Amino acid sequence: RLAGVVLVRQRPGTASGVVFATIEDETGIANIVIWPTVMERFRRAVLGSSVLEVAGRIQRSEEGLVHVVADALANRSALLG
């Protein structure tokens, strides 16, 4: 589980409905992978958040990149105040 400020949301036409988001917190940047079924359930949070909380499977590449395959998402924008 992690949370961060949403930097980018993308839905490439070649990605078969998969949405990619990039969030940033005090430790760095994480790339979020949101499968279409998860997107359907958490659409409002994904599209309306300035701060997004993500629960899912974290994967780290050898280069140090962090990817999270999302299982659940929540809008935590109220924490900015």
Side-chain angles (χ1 to χ4, degrees), residues 31-77:
N31 300 303
I32 313 303
V33 179
I34 308 164
W35 293 105
T37 54
V38 175
M39 181 63 183
E40 287 176 30
R41 290 191 344 242
F42 299 100
R43 180 181 229 31
R44 183 173 281 162
V46 172
L47 297 178
S49 297
S50 297
V51 176
L52 187 63
E53 179 182 338
V54 183
R57 294 175 307 284
I58 296 176
Q59 303 171 344
R60 292 182 197 270
S61 71
E62 291 182 15
E63 298 83 22
L65 298 173
V66 176
H67 303 281
V68 180
V69 179
D71 293 325
L73 302 118
N75 184 346
R76 297 295 184 229
S77 301

Side-chain angles (χ1 to χ4, degrees), residues 3 5 12 33 36 74 79:
V5 175
V33 179
L79 297 175

Side-chain angles (χ1 to χ4, degrees), residues 2 21-25 28-32 66-68:
L2 65 149
T22 302
I23 65 172
E24 182 177 19
D25 67 8
I29 292 176
N31 300 303
I32 313 303
V66 176
H67 303 281
V68 180

